[in-house]
Amino acid sequence: MSTPSTPTIDALRAWVLDFSTDAPEADGTATWTSTTMVLVQARSDTAHGYGWTYGAPACANVITDLLAEHAMGRNAFDVPAANEAMHRALRNAGRPGIGGYALSAVDIALWDLKARLLGLPLVDLLGRARDAVPVYGSGGFTTYDDPQLRTQLRGWTEQQAIPRVKIKIGEGWGTREDRDLARIRQAREIIGPDAELYVDANGAYSAKQAIRLAQRFEEHDVRWFEEPVSSDDLAGLAQVRAATTADVAAGEYGFTLPYFAAMAPTVDCLQADATRCGGLTVWLRAGALAQAHGLDLSGHCAPHVHAHAAATLPNVRHLEWFHDHVRIENMLFDGTLDPAGGRLHPGQGGTPGLGLMPRHDVLEQHATSTVSAGST
């Protein structure tokens, strides 16, 4: 009896897409009016898989110039082998930063491709640990006025019944403490006493400043304090964690497992972003590392990248239902997930892979460039 030929990775294509925000946005340390996505298509014969990162346009050329030759021609089922080959190829170019973003997008596309080739939702290929994954509404930008903040928070808590929300604080690199506290108070008034309230300073504070402010917002029952200080300041994270009642979280800028291992003792919940850290291959390993330290893992941004993999981990706390990325992913893809009730149900409809298909009209409208490697 003849056996079917092994599917190989034949080609990679990358689009740089630019999406304007629906309003000016800022957190404690940055402002922006548009978001860039680099979307990757991996092809095996007539099958396609998709992955993406939210990073600089230069990621696209890293994919075709540095990574493609180390993925193409490989068995499409051997995703960890391709990941390792691409990782090694970045030794001199730089694994953290743009190199890591590019590798991540390709890895995600390869997992999507493998699951599509096998006709399985990715969560069923990997194996479920849970049927649903909790999410929290994330936005609350420092540029929002009172009506904008009220509309967004009520949209999550009342219209979608998401029972946990996060706002940005640390405005002006921590120089607007009074407004930070006023916005926390306002957010609690909007969402009521039952929903969980989270805050994210994006590293804007010093350790002592963060501790002093955290003591003041305890009266508003803030449960989650993300990046109270720079995520590079591990000693500062540990100080804040020891002095406050809110759970301290960080990790979104992690690119390697040693980074996560060093951070784990300093936080209450470890964060990781599959669009940065090395794709779903490394994100799943970060989940195991967190579990070994007695911690939960929270997925940072890009919820449709993380949903299937998150359902395979017993120690996932939640995913970030981030306003910018939810808006972009809903615009670009058919098959996006519904967060009603504060939970996602990946793979429920049985669609293979991540369950998403790009809308080509949106792709054409927002693409600023495209590059390819391999036969097209």
Side-chain angles (χ1 to χ4, degrees), residues 337-375:
L337 299 168
D338 183 356
R343 296 160 71 85
L344 304 178
H345 297 83
Q348 191 173 56
T351 306
L354 293 172
L356 304 172
M357 284 300 295
R359 297 177 177 135
H360 290 286
D361 58 332
V362 178
L363 199 59
E364 292 176 4
Q365 179 185 353
H366 291 275
T368 60
S369 64
T370 179
V371 291
S372 301
S375 57

Side-chain angles (χ1 to χ4, degrees), residues 8-175:
T8 58
I9 302 164
D10 299 327
L12 295 176
R13 185 176 184 184
W15 292 265
V16 177
L17 307 170
D18 185 74
F19 296 87
S20 297
T21 58
D22 55 3
E25 296 176 355
D27 55 32
T29 57
T31 62
W32 62 96
T33 57
S34 67
T35 299
T36 301
M37 170 196 273
V38 178
L39 177 71
V40 175
Q41 179 194 74
R43 185 174 66 79
S44 177
D45 195 12
T46 61
H48 301 88
Y50 294 92
W52 62 96
T53 188
Y54 293 97
C59 292
N61 291 110
V62 173
I63 291 166
T64 54
D65 296 349
L66 295 178
L67 301 181
E69 65 179 293
H70 302 281
M72 292 188 308
R74 290 183 175 273
N75 186 331
F77 293 157
D78 295 341
V79 181
N83 184 291
E84 182 64 19
M86 291 187 291
H87 171 86
R88 294 182 181 187
L90 290 170
R91 191 195 75 170
N92 290 339
R95 170 66 172 79
I98 288 174
Y101 283 62
L103 186 158
S104 298
V106 177
D107 180 89
I108 296 159
L110 294 180
W111 278 111
D112 188 40
L113 175 64
K114 178 177 180 177
R116 289 174 191 261
L117 286 166
L118 295 171
L120 292 170
L122 181 56
V123 64
D124 292 329
L125 170 63
L126 296 172
R128 292 179 185 269
R130 58 176 74 207
D131 290 328
V133 181
V135 298
Y136 65 90
S138 172
F141 304 109
T142 59
T143 44
Y144 279 3
D145 59 23
D146 291 355
Q148 286 174 303
L149 184 63
R150 184 176 299 106
T151 297
Q152 186 177 72
L153 295 182
R154 286 184 175 169
W156 289 324
T157 58
E158 296 179 9
Q159 296 174 24
Q160 295 180 315
I162 299 174
R164 54 196 79 84
V165 300
K166 186 176 81 179
I167 67 167
K168 300 291 191 178
I169 59 171
E171 184 173 355
W173 284 88
T175 61

